[in-house]
Amino acid sequence: MGRKSALNSGRRFQTASHWGAYTVEVAGGRIVGVEPFKDDPHPSALIAGLVEMVHSPLRVTCPHIRRGYLQRRKASRGARGTEPFVPVSWDVALSLVEEGLREAISLHGNESIYGGSYGWASAGRLHHAPSVLKRFLGLIGGYVDKRGNHSFGAAMHIAPYVIGRSDITSLVMPWRAIADHAQQVVLFGGMHEKNMQVDAGGAVLHESSEWISRAARRSVRFVNVSPAREDTPAALDPEWLPIVPNTDVAMMLGLAHTLIDEGLHCVEFLQRYCVGFDALRDYLVGLEDGIVKDANWASSICGVDSQTIRQLARSMATKRTLICVSWSVQRAEHGEQPIWMAIALASMLGQIGRPGCGFSIGIGAVNGNAVERPARIPRPTMPLGDNPVKIAVPIGRVADMLLHPGAVIEYDGAQLTLPDIKIVYSAGGNPFHHNANLNRFVEAWRRPDLVVVNEPWWNPAARFADIVLPSTTTLERNDILAADMQRHYLAMYQALPPFAHARNDYDIFLELADRFGCGDAYTEGRSEMQWLCKMYTDARARAIERGYAPPEFDEFWEVGRYAFPNDACCDAPLMFEEFRRDPAAHRLGTPSGKIELYSATIEKYAYPDCPPHPSWLEPTEWRGAEIAGRFPLHLLSHQPATRLHSQLDPSSLSRASKRDGREVLTMHPRDAISRQLADGDLVVAFNERGSFVASLRISDHLRAGVVQIATGAWFDPAEPGSPRSLEKHGNPNAVTSDRGASRLSQSSTSQTVLVDVVRCEVPPPVTAFCPPRFADGSADLTFH
Ligand SMILES: Nc1nc2c(c(=O)[nH]1)N[C@H]1C(S)=C(S)[C@@H](COP(=O)(O)OP(=O)(O)OC[C@H]3O[C@@H](n4cnc5c(=O)[nH]c(N)nc54)[C@H](O)[C@@H]3O)O[C@H]1N2
Ligand SMILES: Nc1nc2c(c(=O)[nH]1)N[C@H]1C(S)=C(S)[C@@H](COP(=O)(O)OP(=O)(O)OC[C@H]3O[C@@H](n4cnc5c(=O)[nH]c(N)nc54)[C@H](O)[C@@H]3O)O[C@H]1N2
Ligand SMILES: [Mo]
């Protein structure tokens, strides 16, 4: 196309990732240096990770087939995850994928293909693995999709009933409003700074710590309501209220009761902007079920002192207060309730729509979500195309879908018949990271006839596949970073040729599309650079309509960046500001147009696990449950500081955070003494679903009765597929439950799990980072 090729322009290449933008230096075909994006005030240490992983011995060099699949096709599916892999040519591998897809489509229809493929994949708008997978599958007749997400699935399902919208990532109070206007911020689940390193689609600037310092200088009072002290940055000098996990709703009800009891609730706001307060009040004062939800009642459940609850309620009523709920709090059984109750509590305070006040969901859960940015930045987009199959299964029900085809489940006011899946195609996600109850999941994963995985590395997703197709990494292709919460477009230049025989996901699906006769529809006649130019140019046209002036593509690609000007950002109205000013002109998307503290729609569903007003419902597993007699410790699994989920787990930063090669499990001294455990011991956490090994850290920064471990250790079962297998590396999903949050959201509940912990007497070696076994299968290369 006559424009400068990044590959020939020198040896330094700008690229970008979910954890930051950076420039790499290439010499002799390898990366020899990494430099953070020069405008980034606080680059993440994670940027060294991918660079290290690009040349890793764990890269998949060429397509591989599980030996049993070569020999016996679907009859061998029970051996998934246990057999050696046979290296094959691209032609052989893609012929097998084609054969499998054609057979499934002709015998069972496209409803038998699961292409929902959950996962963060990598930054970049063109080479986004789940998107190109869906584009291809759509063209060959469609696929079963997913619904919801693991991040804030319960919130996005309840919010439409309460405030008429599901755009959870927009329900965030900007730092500026907090620093300038709030007097008090009450954080259920905190806002851990380590989470602000990453953003789905790419992070560019890490500015949160500056805002945190600014709020600290303004002496805003921060209250960290969380089982873990470190969940709110120390710079904010937070007060810590160590709450029993999964009981935030009880505490909020106790706060709400105190407001009513002392006449501190804002009747005018409730009348003008809300419906259904009477029902909630009846529930609070005990008229509904005979239980008064006062501070004493709340305290007996949530473990926070009743006097503290009362005082906090009083100060909430007199100070400009922001109530925050982290996404983790709703990643739990009945996770809809804390979101609904936080909105109800904020409504009772009557401050919603004022700067720095009201409620905010997931502040700091990812980079940049509370940092102001220009409004309505369009994103260059690769169209997914149409999906003729209209079935979508909520992410919390994937194992059930594979295990119980034809079963009917209740979901969000309707009934859903689970499809009969014959092929799972996964690209850009790690099902052995994001799914819960992995022993049951392995069983489910062995049901379909064929599992195909595109992966750069021999991680658990690849090891449990039949056909593994090696993908490139971002450093091996050209792309554009443009993420929802960033104000930059950045060029991501190809720095290296594809590793070994790896291919871009885009090209893998192009060749498959060609085999199905729809290659032209897939490419629309465009090359990689022509797609980038088209995607950018379309987005630029929309940006110009909105008053911005990004340059033409050639100039952008030459310069490598465009920053949308920040001065456009302060004019955008804050959340609910317009609604507050004029609720009739700015009706919410609920049936009443107001905030619904009682939902007549949800009442009609008659779900016992999601009543029509916010309620305290005991989770199946929590410290007050009967089963706590056998498994007395509540296990929390948080996002890791040293990696992104399971990505970068083999990098040195992530390995350095482990001890004896295992993840670290934190426990309160009292629980350690009663078990005669010492810091540094290798321990096993277990329940009826499974067990994992971890290295014990003892700390009183955690509430007693709670243990905590980071997610992301590559799943490393001692006997892959045995339901009683010991997980050797510290993957909490060996013990988490795949119960849905409720019939409403059917979302994931990884924070609702009880375990006990004992010393690990004979620790098995960790093998997560050893490549799988390989075999010569040339004799098996026959086609059926
Ligand atoms: N116990 C517990 N479990 C949890 C959570 C929890 O709090 N507790 N949190 C949940 C949440 S919120 C989330 S979002 C999920 C995250 O779950 P995932 O998004 O599935 O996790 P990742 O490790 O980011 O998986 C991305 C995968 O894509 C691969 N990949 C990267 N780039 C490319 C590419 O270009 N092409 C291809 N083909 N592959 C690529 C990576 O190697 C990796 O295997 O986990 C959930 N799981
Ligand atoms: N470095 C890094 N950052 C990330 C990610 C990553 O993998 N690495 N992942 C990103 C993703 S996909 C997401 S969805 C967000 C998730 O953002 P969150 O879900 O908010 O983050 P977590 O770290 O899982 O949880 C935060 C804290 O919630 C507390 N908590 C857990 N259960 C409860 C409860 O019942 N009540 C109360 N009050 N507190 C509780 C725990 O102590 C935990 O430390 O993080 C993002 N940020
Ligand atoms: Mo997430």
Side-chain angles (χ1 to χ4, degrees):
M1 294 176 80
R3 61 175 59 93
K4 179 174 119 180
S5 156
L7 267 178
N8 299 326
S9 66
R11 295 161 21 149
R12 290 163 56 80
F13 305 94
Q14 172 180 283
T15 184
S17 63
H18 297 306
W19 43 87
Y22 52 100
T23 296
V24 292
E25 197 179 332
V26 178
R30 292 182 75 88
I31 307 228
V32 294
V34 195
E35 228 173 71
F37 187 60
K38 66 174 173 27
D39 292 352
D40 188 349
H42 301 284
S44 163
L46 296 178
I47 58 171
L50 178 63
V51 168
E52 213 186 300
M53 296 275 297
V54 160
H55 308 292
S56 154
L58 285 163
R59 282 297 294 267
V60 185
T61 53
C62 68
H64 282 77
I65 319 289
R66 182 173 59 78
R67 189 173 60 191
Y69 190 81
L70 271 182
Q71 296 165 340
R72 299 186 291 128
R73 299 291 193 274
K74 65 185 175 196
S76 70
R77 61 193 171 191
R80 237 163 242 151
T82 59
E83 289 187 320
F85 284 91
V86 178
V88 298
S89 67
W90 273 103
D91 187 49
V92 166
L94 293 178
S95 297
L96 285 170
V97 178
E98 184 191 345
E99 174 196 282
L101 286 170
R102 284 195 190 282
E103 185 180 307
I105 293 169
S106 70
L107 294 179
H108 312 284
N110 283 69
E111 312 74 60
S112 68
I113 301 170
Y114 184 63
S117 194
Y118 188 92
W120 268 51
S122 284
R125 298 295 295 155
L126 170 60
H127 295 286
H128 183 249
S131 301
V132 284
L133 165 67
K134 290 176 186 194
R135 184 174 166 86
F136 158 66
L137 290 177
L139 286 170
I140 64 165
Y143 56 94
V144 171
D145 206 347
K146 69 159 170 69
R147 283 279 289 277
N149 66 35
H150 289 280
S151 307
F152 44 77
M156 72 189 273
H157 279 82
I158 192 70
Y161 296 94
V162 182
I163 49 172
R165 49 197 277 196
S166 60
D167 54 335
I168 302 302
T169 54
S170 310
L171 298 175
V172 178
M173 186 59 67
W175 280 116
R176 182 188 300 279
I178 296 174
D180 290 352
H181 300 283
Q183 292 173 314
Q184 171 170 268
V185 181
V186 181
L187 296 137
F188 292 89
M191 50 164 172
H192 205 300
E193 243 180 316
K194 57 130 172 77
N195 285 13
M196 303 174 204
Q197 294 176 83
V198 311
D199 183 17
V204 182
L205 307 179
H206 294 85
E207 300 170 314
S208 301
S209 56
E210 257 124 80
W211 286 105
I212 288 170
S213 310
R214 185 159 160 178
R217 281 197 302 276
R218 276 255 354 272
S219 305
V220 183
R221 178 192 187 208
F222 284 84
V223 184
N224 176 36
V225 187
S226 170
R229 182 192 286 274
E230 270 120 37
D231 277 342
T232 300
L236 294 171
D237 193 19
E239 282 167 53
W240 180 33
L241 303 184
I243 191 170
V244 172
N246 289 196
T247 66
D248 301 74
V249 173
M251 176 159 165
M252 292 179 198
L253 289 168
L255 291 164
H257 184 277
T258 306
L259 294 179
I260 297 184
D261 200 38
E262 303 188 7
L264 299 172
H265 59 302
C266 181
V267 176
E268 199 217 327
F269 187 93
L270 292 164
Q271 280 174 352
R272 184 149 186 235
Y273 301 98
C274 305
V275 294
F277 177 65
D278 291 351
L280 180 61
R281 189 191 47 216
D282 286 355
Y283 174 70
L284 284 165
V285 300
L287 287 176
E288 186 186 308
D289 57 4
I291 299 168
V292 181
K293 315 296 178 308
D294 62 11
N296 293 347
W297 169 87
S299 174
S300 69
I301 294 170
C302 73
V304 176
D305 173 67
S306 57
Q307 204 45 34
T308 307
I309 295 177
R310 282 196 193 89
Q311 276 163 4
L312 183 60
R314 288 174 202 134
S315 87
M316 286 169 109
T318 48
K319 287 192 157 103
R320 289 194 301 273
T321 296
L322 182 67
I323 299 168
C324 299
V325 189
S326 70
W327 294 346
S328 54
V329 167
Q330 57 82 68
R331 202 173 301 120
E333 204 176 344
H334 313 130
E336 298 83 4
Q337 303 306 315
I339 298 295
W340 201 351
M341 191 56 214
I343 297 173
L345 190 55
S347 300
M348 291 173 70
L349 296 177
Q351 303 178 6
I352 293 175
R354 292 210 170 117
C357 304
F359 71 92
S360 176
I361 299 174
I363 190 168
V366 286
N367 171 266
N369 72 354
V371 174
E372 285 169 325
R373 57 192 168 275
R376 302 177 68 229
I377 299 181
R379 291 214 284 174
T381 298
M382 162 74 150
L384 288 187
D386 184 34
N387 178 11
V389 174
K390 300 301 173 204
I391 306 168
V393 175
I395 48 99
R397 298 277 57 81
V398 171
D400 284 341
M401 169 183 80
L402 298 175
L403 287 167
H404 304 297
V408 178
I409 61 163
E410 300 275 356
Y411 171 50
D412 203 10
Q415 296 202 315
L416 175 69
T417 305
L418 297 176
D420 189 0
I421 297 301
K422 301 294 180 191
I423 297 191
V424 172
Y425 202 133
S426 174
N430 179 358
F432 296 86
H433 172 81
H434 56 247
N435 286 305
N437 196 355
L438 287 177
N439 289 324
R440 180 168 186 260
F441 184 72
V442 168
E443 198 193 326
W445 192 251
R446 288 179 171 166
R447 292 297 171 96
D449 295 345
L450 169 61
V451 173
V452 188
V453 168
N454 292 9
E455 249 296 331
W457 292 278
W458 280 112
N459 72 351
R463 283 152 183 260
F464 274 88
D466 299 326
I467 301 178
V468 182
L469 303 178
S471 304
T472 55
T473 68
T474 42
L475 290 166
E476 298 148 61
R477 57 207 189 203
N478 291 299
D479 217 323
I480 296 174
L481 172 144
D484 274 343
M485 293 172 221
Q486 311 293 324
R487 63 184 188 91
H488 287 79
Y489 289 165
L490 292 186
M492 298 166 60
Y493 301 116
Q494 182 178 354
L496 295 168
F499 178 85
H501 298 284
R503 289 187 183 174
N504 298 333
D505 295 287
Y506 176 85
D507 297 313
I508 297 173
F509 295 119
L510 167 56
E511 184 164 341
L512 284 169
D514 271 337
R515 286 166 179 254
F516 282 83
C518 51
D520 291 343
Y522 177 83
T523 62
E524 297 176 20
R526 293 188 190 92
S527 65
E528 179 191 65
M529 285 310 290
Q530 286 167 329
W531 265 117
L532 294 176
C533 176
K534 148 101 178 138
M535 289 160 57
Y536 177 92
T537 305
D538 288 354
R540 173 174 179 259
R542 275 177 288 141
I544 289 171
E545 278 167 25
R546 295 171 193 177
Y548 298 111
E552 286 190 8
F553 179 72
D554 282 359
E555 188 185 331
F556 163 71
W557 196 252
E558 182 84 29
V559 176
R561 60 181 284 184
Y562 174 72
F564 286 77
N566 237 351
D567 46 8
C569 59
C570 302
D571 305 336
L574 284 167
M575 310 199 261
F576 299 100
E577 194 181 314
E578 291 169 315
F579 172 65
R580 183 180 187 103
R581 196 179 333 112
D582 188 346
H586 298 277
R587 287 171 57 89
L588 303 183
T590 51
S592 60
K594 298 183 177 186
I595 299 173
E596 302 216 344
L597 306 183
Y598 186 96
S599 164
T601 318
I602 293 184
E603 184 195 326
K604 286 196 206 98
Y605 300 164
Y607 290 159
D609 51 9
C610 190
H613 60 69
S615 308
W616 160 246
L617 303 165
E618 277 195 44
T620 319
E621 294 176 50
W622 73 294
R623 291 271 293 154
E626 205 174 300
I627 195 176
R630 287 172 60 208
F631 303 112
L633 299 169
H634 195 120
L635 174 73
L636 299 177
S637 47
H638 59 281
Q639 310 293 329
T642 56
R643 54 186 176 256
L644 175 69
H645 316 131
S646 69
Q647 298 194 48
L648 312 180
D649 191 31
S651 71
S652 15
L653 187 70
S654 174
R655 288 192 202 222
S657 70
K658 304 181 196 248
R659 291 201 304 208
D660 295 326
R662 335 270 165 157
E663 283 304 308
V664 172
L665 178 84
T666 305
M667 179 184 271
H668 190 273
R670 211 186 304 154
D671 297 318
I673 290 165
S674 65
R675 288 171 180 73
Q676 296 180 318
L677 295 170
D679 199 276
D681 278 355
L682 281 178
V683 294
V684 177
F686 66 97
N687 60 20
E688 285 173 330
R689 291 176 291 269
S691 53
F692 64 80
V693 183
S695 169
L696 191 73
R697 181 177 78 124
I698 299 177
S699 164
D700 62 3
H701 284 200
L702 198 60
R703 194 191 155 87
V706 181
V707 283
Q708 190 170 34
I709 190 168
T711 58
W714 281 14
F715 181 55
D716 192 14
E719 300 158 65
S722 155
R724 296 273 65 87
S725 171
L726 178 66
E727 201 284 330
K728 303 179 289 180
H729 191 192
N731 185 318
N733 286 326
V735 299
T736 49
S737 157
D738 59 358
R739 231 176 266 124
S742 78
R743 289 165 176 81
L744 192 89
S745 71
Q746 293 290 4
S747 199
S748 46
T749 62
S750 45
Q751 306 308 327
T752 304
V753 42
L754 292 175
V755 295
D756 203 354
V757 174
V758 292
R759 185 173 292 103
C760 179
E761 300 297 350
V762 191
V766 177
T767 51
F769 301 143
C770 307
R773 287 178 298 135
F774 298 108
D776 175 18
S778 41
D780 304 316
L781 287 176
T782 50
F783 285 88
H784 298 207

